[in-house]
Amino acid sequence: MTVTYSSKVANATFFGFHQLLLRWKGSIYKLLYREFILFALLYTVLSVVYRIVLSEDQKRLFEKLSMYCDKYAEQIPVTFVLGFYVTLVVNRWWNQFVNLPWPDRLMFHISSCVQGKDEYGRLLRRTLVRYVNLTSLLIFRSVSTAVCKRFPTMDHVVEAGFMTPEERKVFENIRSPHLKYWIPVVWFSNLASKARQEGRIQDSIDLQNILNEMNRFRTWCATLFGYNWVGVPLVYTQVVTLAVYTFFFACLIGRQFLDHTRGYQGHDLDLYVPIFTLLQFFFYCGWLKVAEQLINPFGDDDDDFEANWIIDRNLQVSLLAVDEMHMNMPHMTKDIYWNDCDARPPYTLAAADYCIPSFLGSTTDMGSGIKFSGSCTILSIFLMFAGFGSSPPSFLPRCQVLEYFKYE
Amino acid sequence: MTVTYSSKVANATFFGFHQLLLRWKGSIYKLLYREFILFALLYTVLSVVYRIVLSEDQKRLFEKLSMYCDKYAEQIPVTFVLGFYVTLVVNRWWNQFVNLPWPDRLMFHISSCVQGKDEYGRLLRRTLVRYVNLTSLLIFRSVSTAVCKRFPTMDHVVEAGFMTPEERKVFENIRSPHLKYWIPVVWFSNLASKARQEGRIQDSIDLQNILNEMNRFRTWCATLFGYNWVGVPLVYTQVVTLAVYTFFFACLIGRQFLDHTRGYQGHDLDLYVPIFTLLQFFFYCGWLKVAEQLINPFGDDDDDFEANWIIDRNLQVSLLAVDEMHMNMPHMTKDIYWNDCDARPPYTLAAADYCIPSFLGSTTDMGSGIKFSGSCTILSIFLMFAGFGSSPPSFLPRCQVLEYFKYE
Amino acid sequence: MTVTYSSKVANATFFGFHQLLLRWKGSIYKLLYREFILFALLYTVLSVVYRIVLSEDQKRLFEKLSMYCDKYAEQIPVTFVLGFYVTLVVNRWWNQFVNLPWPDRLMFHISSCVQGKDEYGRLLRRTLVRYVNLTSLLIFRSVSTAVCKRFPTMDHVVEAGFMTPEERKVFENIRSPHLKYWIPVVWFSNLASKARQEGRIQDSIDLQNILNEMNRFRTWCATLFGYNWVGVPLVYTQVVTLAVYTFFFACLIGRQFLDHTRGYQGHDLDLYVPIFTLLQFFFYCGWLKVAEQLINPFGDDDDDFEANWIIDRNLQVSLLAVDEMHMNMPHMTKDIYWNDCDARPPYTLAAADYCIPSFLGSTTDMGSGIKFSGSCTILSIFLMFAGFGSSPPSFLPRCQVLEYFKYE
Amino acid sequence: MTVTYSSKVANATFFGFHQLLLRWKGSIYKLLYREFILFALLYTVLSVVYRIVLSEDQKRLFEKLSMYCDKYAEQIPVTFVLGFYVTLVVNRWWNQFVNLPWPDRLMFHISSCVQGKDEYGRLLRRTLVRYVNLTSLLIFRSVSTAVCKRFPTMDHVVEAGFMTPEERKVFENIRSPHLKYWIPVVWFSNLASKARQEGRIQDSIDLQNILNEMNRFRTWCATLFGYNWVGVPLVYTQVVTLAVYTFFFACLIGRQFLDHTRGYQGHDLDLYVPIFTLLQFFFYCGWLKVAEQLINPFGDDDDDFEANWIIDRNLQVSLLAVDEMHMNMPHMTKDIYWNDCDARPPYTLAAADYCIPSFLGSTTDMGSGIKFSGSCTILSIFLMFAGFGSSPPSFLPRCQVLEYFKYE
Amino acid sequence: MTVTYSSKVANATFFGFHQLLLRWKGSIYKLLYREFILFALLYTVLSVVYRIVLSEDQKRLFEKLSMYCDKYAEQIPVTFVLGFYVTLVVNRWWNQFVNLPWPDRLMFHISSCVQGKDEYGRLLRRTLVRYVNLTSLLIFRSVSTAVCKRFPTMDHVVEAGFMTPEERKVFENIRSPHLKYWIPVVWFSNLASKARQEGRIQDSIDLQNILNEMNRFRTWCATLFGYNWVGVPLVYTQVVTLAVYTFFFACLIGRQFLDHTRGYQGHDLDLYVPIFTLLQFFFYCGWLKVAEQLINPFGDDDDDFEANWIIDRNLQVSLLAVDEMHMNMPHMTKDIYWNDCDARPPYTLAAADYCIPSFLGSTTDMGSGIKFSGSCTILSIFLMFAGFGSSPPSFLPRCQVLEYFKYE
């Protein structure tokens, strides 16, 4: 359930990011409140013990311990370790996003190059596309807990229509101790080859392009599986986690407000609430949580990819594209710029500011002889009356441009 | 409205970047002046309160608080957090630029490989190109506020000529709960396939190349949508924002000029204006603003991409290329270097310095037997009299080169 | 034996990474315990010597030495050196993973484009695929100690069925002082070319696609060999190792607890166990161990790639795909969404939360006229009784959806 | 005029980089001497004022100010800001280098696949190649000040032979407010398509390959234009510049040598010349200058790309390749290794050390059965007498190898 | 002469990298010992002068100077500058490795697609491959000092058989002031085109694939030349060198052991040998040496690429592949897994541990219905008696597996 906030940050505004601080879903608060409460609690307990329970001698010892911890807390390189580690995890996360399997490229090819509006043609195209969806489903079941919950057994896969019962039988008869997500791909390539023999795919060029797109799709699937199989080395994750946890363990003791009457350096103020330590807790633990969320983006976190939605979307869209829409195009008619070599789509008043002259290179001001003029473009703005605005379509006729431009 | 300053930085000059500091549009000042005023105001209020309102005891407390804040302000790792975060955001921003959909590759193929200067041929090419533009428009409407303001409804899209009314009906009859930007792509691929059947596209090779370019175009569109959908994880943005805000909150108190008669370390000077803190505000907030501007480059910021201009340019240029310019080439004539195997375009006097011998590899000085000589190239400079300069064309005839070179 | 912990980190939970701290296999503890014991031992010895053996004068000298070491220990830039170095090593490691040779792309092409179910056809396909596996085996033998142990001689390779005895003779008769892993690739390309002449591969398009995939496979192999041949420059590794070792050598002396009665700054507490130094040992040495593990991922480390398993998997799967599965597809039948343009696979109750409306772009809220509605998707959830859950398949019939949704 | 120093750094030698410090062209000194003089001057003025002009009270105030500045100068994160920024700029610079348009790939295809040695064939090939060069010239004129100086008007372009007068007329008749560099590309693709119709290009495969290479060339041009259009965000550049300038402003005051008789900490030595501050000026300003030089690599800096040379080289080489060299190959004769399966090119004595056995994988020492022996290669070195050395060719006959090897 | 140590780091062992510290070839010691001796010498001289030569007053002055230097030495950001710079250089170095020109891809295509075992066919294939090798040789001569020493003149190139005397004449008759490495590529493409006309290359598909591979090869060559031509900007290298040299200049004075009786802070111990400063010298200078070695990897450094070996290998291997091995395949026979759908290559006892079950995705434990079992694979291990081990082949017959597994 990806947390999208693009619309909130479209423009850099007055303290623009501050509104992001007030969200709950997918926020640092939701992720961290439990750890934060625990940390605050432990700090309070220690504070109370120090102030009330301990004897004077014990207090002196605690004070020494506290200063010792504080000194070393500053030496722990949490910032750098986290910086390098989070960069690694974010890169892996984005690469997984980029490798999500979408059947779109393939469905365009199948829709246009596998001929025949009869039932056999439809069956052929639907089956090809179904194999593609089945492949990605099998991979998603292997890597995503969310998909695994939805399709816990192969029965569910059959029931949901991704596989026919007969295919299932063949699938299970193929004996291999390894993951079998590649089986529908073999079916796909053999079926496509058969379609060429039958003349449904016109020639080898069309066939090879479909096979290449299929291989691209399979590589996406295999890449997701690869990321699932070989993660960030465990040792690296442990090193980072240890560093952060050690830092906060040291802070628990080292950031206590010591008796300011004792005159310890930097301890002449008692605020009771260690405001900056708590904020540091938010930075560092939040930073670590970024890694925790993204290290396996196929779970249930707020920022994880919606694998189930992808499965739904892909099935619906790809069946639509290859079956209902096959060779079912709107009638071609002349567009409105026919015989008008200077096509200029109009602007609404609200968008009039976006109408700008064309950038012609940084050297434009230098050359005296460059004759291209962008200045007249500004005249092509199609204005509309602000009052008219609500009832679409509200572009004014093109001939009115110059006049309106004069008056406004 | 991208802020282009390439021409200002073409050469590294005396304090070369300083002129960039004096710009307003797209500048740090324009972005930050409101936050800066607020910060300065708050600082002043606190300063006045400290100096005038507070009692002596309260002053002592405030001084302790101030030094406490100052100490922790320095511990907040703003620099690194910002460094890693801005690098991430800048990379995403540039990847989005690289994935802006341009129909150029496709229009060359359509112009040269979809045959026929008759009306049907024109209709075919214009429709194909229009579908491509429609696809990118649909995506831009989804991701860009600027385009969404220009085309708030599908009526506007039809009115502007990207879609015919009949296409709109077909488009809306296709039932899918998901984004439908891929529908024109299916139309495109089916239409191209039909054109091959009708012999307008000569063979499968041409068709497949067009389909592949179309898929490349679609992938650009899908990538933009992907960046819009899955942003930088919210937690990361929050961590960075919190770090910067906390730092300046701490600075507000911690960087006050304390009574220099009290002899606090580092507080023996009262400048009233905390010049370095204000400059730090500019660095860090400016750095954060870089991220704020670039995190969604499809808004209204000074540095955002001009999506509306791109739409205009693509439509005009692509219609031109496939219709008016189809098989409409200039007559071939012999160029001026015909039978001259040593083509050397002339230089103007102003550019004479740029005429240099060819680099032949770093080992040139070593090998005694390497005979290629670059030294005579320098003689090929075409000079012109400085006084002649204004009336183009001003290259001198080639035979005069050697002589002019002697005298100047 | 890659250590996979993806399932442990699917969700960011309460102190989510802490459970990773408690693993042994592939963990920092397993990697470091010997070094840790040695370090602790040396520290103890020094500590005992200082406290018991040394005379007062010698103690004073040791104390000076200790403070001198401590001061310089802090100046050693271990963090940065390690950060840059580990980033380099991790990138190389992942690139090697990405370049592991998988025959899948090739086997789909061979299965679908090399015709003939007769014995000669089978022989052809099996031989082509075997050559591919042989190539990767020869490379793995060169780079991986694990594979070299399994196939110490060419006899083992022949015995294991990757090469026939006759092929071996030809192989050994080809005289070349260089690595000969490319020989089976030449055989492959010649055999494929011969198959085209004989009509087993239909035309040049099919042939060239197979050759291109073969070249892709070969490039993976060559890349692995390249990484094995040209490693991280030795000097870089030495610099990093020296920095870390020097740091801990300095810590051994510099982090001793000095006599707190002497009033040295920062030495007013005697903990006996230098807890933070030991933790630092874990961070820095752990970080270095990340590099040590990954710098050659074809050894026996817990996180190394399972080259032997890859060989097994590739052989079994690729023979299966080109032989048994060649043109052996399940019978095509209509899928369950035939004539239903709105295919919506059901959800189990456990996954009902994942059923979400479609993201339509960040500008959706802006445009009043965008009519796509995602709200009805929520109704398409297929619920099942929680109690029924155990006996699959447990999706409810589609018509019951609305009703169940009402009651639950 | 790129500054190439590869030959100076071919080997890591004794204080290897020190010789680079003594260059002027393209050096830090040439770039910085003006700023350096200004900085030194200002420092001196301030120093003189402090030492001579100021009264005692003013001196005390100045000293406080100086120490205040010094303290904050150290807090300005110049290093990191510069590190991240320069990395960004260097990456953009290199990407622009990688995207410089070279017609080589295209000219090979045109030379081999556009048939006909008659005049029409020559005209066809020359025109195709000229269009390619024209495209890159138009782009260079837009982005490079050096090229813009050379071709300030379209007249110059025509005069220099890149465009015929007729083409210019057609070019200018095409009305578009946008940059028109794509027009020759349309001509190219249409002309290529016409050549296929006329049988000059044999079939669609050849045509499509030429079109694809053309598109690759166009993409390079468009990429250069993109980098010119969308630069590093202005705010980022301003932030970095502000940081560096502020730092040196603070240094001007803060790094003054204060009266060492006053006993200020760290001010007990008066060197008059602030050697380390001046060196810091060189580091940081030099680092910033790296960015200044590279941010627009198409200007006149010492390290900028030689766009004019590229234009010359491309025109000359590409005309040569497609015209004079078309189907003009040397006669094929047997090479000297005919029927010798073990081709071993000889070594000169000076290079004898480079003759090494082949690397066979890191596991070579493990496997007892690996029989490939690289040891005999060493015998194949062709030695020559050192005294003979000057008169080439100086390889000794092959049969003498073994003997010479014995004696030397 | 690349320094390969992959086999030493195959496993992370007890203090695994320490053995790397004891190498000489390619090591930090070999690279740095001269600089180190010089530094130590200078330090010693200064130390002796301070202790013996200087008068008391001069000593006081020197002490002040020393502390002044020490203070600023710490402010020089050597670590970061080096970190960013070395990362840049290492990336460039690796990119050059990746772009080394290997003819393998091309030779497979030529071997399989250029027909004819007669003399003319052999001549054709050998000539094509020789042109490819010639191209890379010409580039290597331009960029590599090692190759330039081996082939100092074109006579050597002809003599070594890369070029026939006739080709040389044609080559030198082509007049171009620019590097002429592209000429053999034009020959290649024209020769390939001629071969198609003559029917030696079957059709355009084959031809275009060969031309594309040739272009890929040429691009590698051009990329190497580009790296040689446009290096890391000189200013950047100077900045880094200056920073490191300044640091050590400051250390020479600042790290002297001052008279510990004077009570200067941090100077209460006199070790005579500044152990940590010397170690710092090793880190920082070693790090800089990494850059020095890699900045031009075509020289004579221990870690430079073996260009001469590459030339030898490519010539020998590519002639072999296209001539002797053309259509010269081993006879196809049934492999040992014929009709056995479950191919499982055996394991030796030494490698038995590597036999592991297949990873089926991180969600495997969740789904109850996933039936694939990997547990039986363990039974397929082929054991051999440890004693038998020496005489290969030593896999036991397959039927014995279960039994042996029982007993061992």
Side-chain angles (χ1 to χ4, degrees), chain C residues 49-63:
Chain C
V49 166
Y50 165 65
R51 288 163 199 259
I52 297 173
V53 180
L54 295 187
S55 69
E56 277 306 298
D57 277 5
Q58 287 171 323
K59 277 189 180 176
R60 290 303 86 74
L61 193 70
F62 184 85
E63 282 154 8

Side-chain angles (χ1 to χ4, degrees), chain D residues 5-280:
Chain D
Y5 58 100
S6 304
S7 59
K8 307 284 182 208
V9 290
N11 303 321
T13 54
F14 182 52
F15 277 111
F17 278 179
H18 80 136
Q19 67 215 36
L20 297 180
L21 294 181
L22 306 175
R23 296 169 58 111
W24 173 255
K25 194 179 162 219
S27 80
I28 195 175
Y29 316 118
K30 185 175 170 199
L31 278 168
L32 270 181
Y33 73 97
R34 290 164 303 192
E35 284 87 346
F36 183 75
I37 290 171
L38 181 71
F39 181 78
L41 211 73
L42 287 174
Y43 185 90
T44 313
V45 167
L46 267 174
S47 186
V48 168
V49 165
Y50 164 64
R51 287 162 198 261
I52 297 173
V53 180
L54 295 187
S55 68
E56 277 305 298
D57 277 6
Q58 287 171 323
K59 277 188 180 176
R60 294 302 84 78
L61 193 69
F62 183 87
E63 282 155 7
K64 281 178 189 169
L65 186 69
S66 172
M67 285 181 293
Y68 175 78
C69 285
D70 194 29
K71 176 182 155 200
Y72 283 103
E74 283 170 32
Q75 281 185 16
I76 299 169
V78 188
T79 318
F80 295 99
V81 178
L82 274 172
F84 284 112
Y85 181 74
V86 169
T87 299
L88 175 66
V89 170
V90 167
N91 283 342
R92 287 178 62 94
W93 164 77
W94 190 251
N95 275 339
Q96 290 183 67
F97 180 74
V98 164
N99 282 289
L100 286 178
W102 302 104
D104 295 48
R105 296 177 69 99
L106 205 38
M107 83 193 183
F108 301 136
H109 278 287
I110 292 173
S111 180
S112 67
C113 297
V114 182
Q115 316 290 341
K117 300 196 73 161
D118 57 336
E119 185 162 293
Y120 184 74
R122 288 184 60 201
L123 194 57
L124 204 55
R125 285 192 301 275
R126 287 182 79 97
T127 307
L128 286 173
V129 144
R130 200 159 45 72
Y131 285 160
V132 168
N133 282 289
L134 178 58
T135 305
S136 61
L137 176 60
L138 291 177
I139 280 293
F140 275 133
R141 279 187 70 221
S142 292
V143 303
S144 164
T145 55
V147 176
C148 198
K149 279 185 200 160
R150 183 174 173 191
F151 301 99
T153 68
M154 286 305 277
D155 296 290
H156 288 83
V157 174
V158 173
E159 183 77 355
F162 285 92
M163 208 181 213
T164 64
E166 195 198 330
E167 281 160 11
R168 188 190 174 182
K169 247 179 256 158
V170 176
F171 184 84
E172 293 187 344
N173 281 337
I174 293 167
R175 296 192 49 213
S176 175
H178 312 292
L179 199 67
K180 295 202 274 190
Y181 76 94
W182 51 272
I183 288 178
V185 189
V186 179
W187 293 342
F188 180 102
S189 55
N190 278 303
L191 188 56
S193 179
K194 192 167 153 236
R196 176 183 51 172
Q197 311 295 2
E198 293 166 347
R200 293 289 177 161
I201 291 175
Q202 195 168 325
D203 54 24
S204 292
I205 312 270
D206 290 14
L207 174 68
Q208 291 302 332
N209 246 13
I210 289 174
L211 291 184
N212 283 336
E213 287 299 337
M214 175 208 73
N215 252 334
R216 189 190 297 253
F217 188 87
R218 194 210 67 87
T219 299
W220 286 331
C221 292
T223 306
L224 287 190
F225 187 71
Y227 274 100
N228 188 258
W229 177 32
V230 176
V232 178
L234 178 60
V235 184
Y236 204 167
T237 306
Q238 286 183 325
V239 163
V240 176
T241 313
L242 261 184
V244 175
Y245 285 13
T246 307
F247 177 73
F248 285 111
F249 171 73
C251 280
L252 267 186
I253 299 172
R255 296 287 172 82
Q256 294 289 346
F257 291 99
L258 303 184
D259 190 350
H260 62 275
T261 62
R262 308 279 316 168
Y264 298 120
Q265 205 196 2
H267 284 277
D268 41 6
L269 185 74
D270 189 346
L271 281 181
Y272 299 99
V273 180
I275 180 75
F276 289 108
T277 303
L278 295 179
L279 283 167
Q280 268 186 328

Side-chain angles (χ1 to χ4, degrees), chain B residues 209-386:
Chain B
N209 247 12
I210 288 174
L211 291 184
N212 283 336
E213 287 299 337
M214 176 207 72
N215 252 335
R216 188 190 296 254
F217 189 88
R218 193 210 68 87
T219 300
W220 286 329
C221 292
T223 307
L224 287 191
F225 187 71
Y227 274 99
N228 187 257
W229 177 33
V230 176
V232 178
L234 178 60
V235 184
Y236 205 167
T237 306
Q238 285 182 325
V239 163
V240 176
T241 312
L242 260 184
V244 175
Y245 285 13
T246 307
F247 177 73
F248 286 111
F249 170 73
C251 280
L252 267 186
I253 299 173
R255 296 287 172 82
Q256 293 288 344
F257 291 100
L258 304 183
D259 190 350
H260 62 276
T261 62
R262 308 277 316 168
Y264 297 120
Q265 204 196 3
H267 284 278
D268 42 7
L269 186 72
D270 188 347
L271 280 182
Y272 299 99
V273 180
I275 179 76
F276 288 107
T277 302
L278 294 180
L279 282 167
Q280 268 186 329
F281 187 85
F282 263 105
F283 310 150
Y284 289 133
C285 276
W287 217 357
L288 188 64
K289 280 285 170 189
V290 173
E292 254 182 76
Q293 268 204 322
L294 302 184
I295 201 169
N296 181 349
F298 288 105
D300 301 334
D301 292 329
D302 282 348
D303 252 322
D304 283 349
F305 304 141
E306 291 98 341
N308 279 309
W309 174 84
I310 292 171
I311 290 168
D312 291 355
R313 186 262 175 202
N314 284 353
L315 185 70
Q316 208 257 339
V317 159
S318 59
L319 285 180
L320 213 54
V322 301
D323 191 4
E324 194 183 335
M325 293 182 67
H326 172 70
M327 287 299 158
N328 185 9
M329 295 159 282
H331 187 70
M332 281 195 289
T333 49
K334 294 183 185 176
D335 56 271
I336 65 173
Y337 302 108
W338 192 266
N339 285 333
D340 171 4
C341 74
D342 196 11
R344 297 193 180 173
Y347 279 74
T348 58
L349 194 56
D353 284 347
Y354 301 119
C355 186
I356 53 166
S358 203
F359 177 70
L360 301 170
S362 65
T363 60
T364 311
D365 301 335
M366 290 179 59
S368 58
I370 303 181
K371 292 288 181 6
F372 321 139
S373 163
S375 63
C376 65
T377 18
I378 204 76
L379 301 180
S380 69
I381 307 180
F382 280 68
L383 301 171
M384 56 173 190
F385 285 109

Side-chain angles (χ1 to χ4, degrees), chain A residues 317-365:
Chain A
V317 160
S318 58
L319 284 180
L320 213 53
V322 301
D323 190 4
E324 193 183 336
M325 293 181 67
H326 173 68
M327 286 300 159
N328 184 8
M329 294 159 282
H331 188 69
M332 282 196 287
T333 49
K334 295 184 183 178
D335 56 89
I336 65 171
Y337 302 109
W338 192 268
N339 286 332
D340 171 4
C341 74
D342 196 11
R344 298 192 179 174
Y347 279 74
T348 58
L349 195 54
D353 283 347
Y354 301 119
C355 187
I356 52 165
S358 203
F359 177 70
L360 300 171
S362 66
T363 61
T364 310
D365 302 334

Side-chain angles (χ1 to χ4, degrees), chain E residues 278-292:
Chain E
L278 296 180
L279 283 167
Q280 268 186 328
F281 186 87
F282 263 107
F283 311 149
Y284 289 134
C285 275
W287 216 357
L288 188 65
K289 280 284 170 191
V290 173
E292 253 181 77

